[in-house]
Amino acid sequence: MVEKRSWAEPWKIKMVEPIKMTTKEERLEYIKEAGYNTFLLKSEDVYIDLLTDSGTNAMSDRQWAGLMMGDEAYAGSRNFYHLEKTIKEYYSYKHLIPTHQGRGAEHMLSQIMIKEGDYVPGNMYFTTTRLHQELAGGKFVDVIVDEAHDTESLHPFKGDVDLNKMQNLIDKVGAENIPYVCIATAVNMAGGQPISLSNLKDLRKLCDKYNIDIVHDMTRVAENAYFIQDREDGYADKSIKEIVYEICSLTDHATMSSKKDALVNIGGFLATNNEDVFVKAQNMVVMYEGLHTYGGMAGRDMEAVAIGIKESVEDDHMKSRVGQVLYLGERLIDMGIPIIQPIGSHGVFLDAKKFLPHLTQDELPAQTLASEIYIESGVRTMERGIVSAGRNKETGEHYRPALELVRVTIPRRVYTQAHMDVVAESIADVFARRDNIKGLKFTYEPEYLRFFQARFEPLQ
Ligand code: PLI
């Protein structure tokens, strides 16, 4: 008898999108034209696209059917009310302000809650989140546990907040200068690492003591819930749906990029339990996004999000979603490739410092590695190191993150296990020739979120 049966995806494929194969000579040309930045490649020149899991999901037939039920009224679309009801039922939040995507919500919340000179602690930075905090006059402070910065630590909840760091910040700057703490679930820049419910409960107590709000960056909350179910005492018998609800209930406000967990290609929202923030956001949304009942989204898109939220918390879905990421990660570990462990929820993160130990951080090891993987096989990945970290607004110096990573991000319900095998083998081929790889240098550096549009050239 088979000891443990394999799992398989809880869906079958109804429509396919052909992808183009390219030669190595062509790819050398394409990456040069793209300034060695995988963001600047044309999608049609990519074989397996693991740049991001953001907006790259395959929707279900239910979601496509939902698109046909779009109510494209300017005001009061029925899809808005469906979405509002779904967010209350699944995520607990009382008020909804739809936005075109996550950063629209981050912009409004930062402008509403942060005043010049404030400190905004968080469990590691995220690019757009920190930028909006800074634009509003705030200063981001990292309060994640130290293990999150250590690629070798096997801590099961590397997304946890270090409560001592949080307490020290309160003692140093005063609770009145901390408008909120921002908690990401399945912390992206740490490698898709979860926060535990016990840590979140302790944080809630600390924040209640000092009257500090908790903002939840809930972009990948269901993926975080999967790890809680799998690893945290007392949660093995709880459903993903129940765990997601419990996480959300411990927080006051949320920003969401629906393009991840919610299984759609575009959309986001701001949600809050606070009347005052809600009224201010309703005032703001009409300036920057659209009317408060669509916020930059078509009615049909809000319908697809509402259906996607329900699908995202199904246990079978999440088991296969995270299962596919674990499969790829385990293959890479078996091949001796240095990756962040434990393997995260939305992608495998290659440790570029260990992969290319002969390159200094100024020689941009993660940017270089992402470009080499594309040249090798047409697989597109993303830099998550010094280039993504950007520069300190005050000093103009590079932020120098401890982690220098290449994110191999898996879109939901898009690729098969065979694609994962090709990806693993391609990365192993780059690993075999790693000693001959030279670094990159900037030739163009944009002012904001430079990683998206920066250009580079190889060092001689
Ligand atoms: O890309 P947006 O504007 O819908 O969402 C911004 C955003 C906020 N928080 C987190 C944790 C994200 O991961 C995030 C977007 N992430 C992208 C685009 C990614 O490739 O990971």
Side-chain angles (χ1 to χ4, degrees):
M1 208 167 96
V2 184
E3 207 162 89
K4 190 165 168 251
R5 233 183 245 176
S6 300
W7 57 268
E9 288 80 2
W11 38 259
K12 53 187 176 175
I13 297 167
K14 189 161 358 198
M15 190 190 284
V16 296
E17 177 184 341
I19 42 184
K20 188 172 102 178
M21 311 288 280
T22 52
T23 63
K24 196 162 189 169
E25 286 65 39
E26 286 170 332
R27 291 193 294 273
L28 278 165
E29 203 45 47
Y30 297 148
I31 195 76
K32 191 172 166 201
E33 277 168 26
Y36 298 87
N37 184 348
T38 52
F39 277 101
L40 299 180
L41 287 165
K42 290 185 185 140
S43 149
E44 63 175 7
D45 298 333
V46 172
Y47 172 37
I48 300 175
D49 201 348
L50 307 185
L51 182 72
T52 177
D53 62 330
S54 179
T56 51
N57 306 302
M59 294 206 295
S60 66
D61 53 359
R62 276 78 173 159
Q63 287 176 293
W64 281 101
L67 291 188
M68 299 307 293
M69 302 299 286
D71 171 2
E72 306 305 342
Y74 188 84
S77 159
R78 83 172 152 258
N79 312 114
F80 168 79
Y81 296 107
H82 181 198
L83 182 59
E84 189 187 43
K85 183 166 169 277
T86 307
I87 284 166
K88 251 186 222 148
E89 186 184 335
Y90 284 75
Y91 296 152
S92 83
Y93 300 113
K94 279 194 215 147
H95 303 296
L96 161 70
I97 301 99
T99 58
H100 74 287
Q101 60 184 81
R103 66 200 74 180
E106 291 172 344
H107 166 225
M108 290 195 293
L109 192 78
S110 302
Q111 291 294 331
I112 292 167
M113 295 192 68
I114 299 172
K115 62 178 187 325
E116 188 67 39
D118 275 350
Y119 293 83
V120 190
N123 57 348
M124 205 173 267
Y125 86 100
F126 184 71
T127 53
T128 57
T129 320
R130 184 178 63 192
L131 177 63
H132 282 296
Q133 291 164 355
E134 289 175 350
L135 290 172
K139 189 174 184 331
F140 168 80
V141 183
D142 193 356
V143 292
I144 203 165
V145 291
D146 285 342
E147 287 85 347
H149 296 282
D150 174 359
T151 56
E152 281 181 8
S153 159
L154 293 175
H155 192 299
F157 291 103
K158 281 177 159 181
D160 278 357
V161 171
D162 182 328
L163 296 170
N164 288 327
K165 287 187 191 170
M166 187 68 198
Q167 181 71 57
N168 289 343
L169 181 70
I170 296 169
D171 295 343
K172 196 168 138 210
V173 306
E176 66 284 6
N177 295 314
I178 305 177
Y180 60 81
V181 50
C182 180
I183 296 308
T185 30
V187 182
N188 193 352
M189 301 303 272
Q193 303 293 328
I195 178 170
S196 63
L197 262 165
S198 68
N199 182 255
L200 189 54
K201 284 178 193 162
D202 289 344
L203 179 70
R204 179 78 262 176
K205 275 191 215 133
L206 184 67
C207 288
D208 284 346
K209 185 168 162 202
Y210 292 98
N211 211 8
I212 296 172
D213 281 4
I214 302 182
V215 170
H216 178 199
D217 177 346
M218 60 176 301
T219 295
R220 298 180 181 86
V221 62
E223 293 179 4
N224 195 114
Y226 173 85
F227 286 130
I228 289 177
Q229 188 187 55
D230 190 50
R231 298 177 190 164
E232 189 161 354
D233 282 348
Y235 286 93
D237 296 329
K238 291 250 188 325
S239 65
I240 301 280
K241 184 178 171 201
E242 288 168 313
I243 299 170
V244 164
Y245 192 88
E246 188 173 347
I247 297 172
C248 296
S249 324
L250 287 162
T251 68
D252 303 291
H253 323 269
T255 55
M256 172 64 158
S257 169
S258 308
K259 303 170 72 173
K260 284 84 164 173
D261 248 10
L263 295 162
V264 294
N265 306 116
I266 192 72
F269 58 80
L270 171 61
T272 179
N273 295 328
N274 180 300
E275 294 295 328
D276 187 43
V277 171
F278 176 52
V279 171
K280 286 183 177 146
Q282 276 201 319
N283 262 297
M284 252 187 121
V285 73
V286 290
M287 279 193 283
Y288 293 108
E289 302 280 323
L291 195 74
H292 57 281
T293 54
Y294 76 84
M297 297 181 72
R300 55 178 168 269
D301 290 328
M302 290 190 280
E303 190 61 24
V305 174
I307 298 168
I309 288 171
K310 296 175 197 183
E311 293 179 0
S312 76
V313 299
E314 284 169 13
D315 283 47
D316 286 345
H317 159 67
M318 201 41 76
K319 190 172 168 204
S320 80
R321 189 292 182 268
V322 181
Q324 188 176 40
V325 178
L326 299 181
Y327 174 81
L328 175 63
E330 278 156 15
R331 277 222 61 186
L332 290 169
I333 292 170
D334 289 347
M335 291 166 153
I337 314 278
I339 67 166
I340 290 212
Q341 295 193 54
I343 300 162
S345 65
H346 64 304
V348 176
F349 289 67
L350 309 178
D351 184 343
K353 278 189 185 165
K354 293 215 175 79
F355 201 113
L356 300 173
H358 55 289
L359 298 189
T360 65
Q361 195 164 31
D362 288 298
E363 292 172 320
L364 316 178
Q367 189 71 38
T368 304
L369 182 53
S371 141
E372 289 295 331
I373 292 169
Y374 173 74
I375 293 167
E376 182 67 40
S377 57
V379 173
R380 171 155 70 170
T381 59
M382 183 193 290
E383 192 265 8
R384 293 274 86 154
I386 188 168
V387 178
S388 293
R391 286 180 189 272
N392 183 307
K393 196 167 65 127
E394 280 146 28
T395 65
E397 295 295 312
H398 292 294
Y399 284 118
R400 291 188 175 275
L403 303 179
E404 194 64 38
L405 310 174
V406 170
R407 192 180 69 176
V408 186
T409 342
I410 319 290
R412 298 164 189 78
R413 309 191 291 206
V414 172
Y415 291 113
T416 64
Q417 190 161 316
H419 289 109
M420 295 304 113
D421 289 334
V422 171
V423 171
E425 289 160 21
S426 311
I427 293 172
D429 284 341
V430 179
F431 195 60
R433 61 176 177 80
R434 64 191 182 281
D435 293 344
N436 298 323
I437 294 174
K438 297 204 170 55
L440 292 170
K441 65 172 184 201
F442 277 98
T443 57
Y444 165 62
E445 186 186 338
E447 190 178 348
Y448 297 112
L449 302 174
R450 63 183 183 180
F451 56 96
F452 283 132
Q453 291 149 346
R455 301 184 72 84
F456 308 89
E457 68 183 20
L459 291 164
Q460 290 315 309

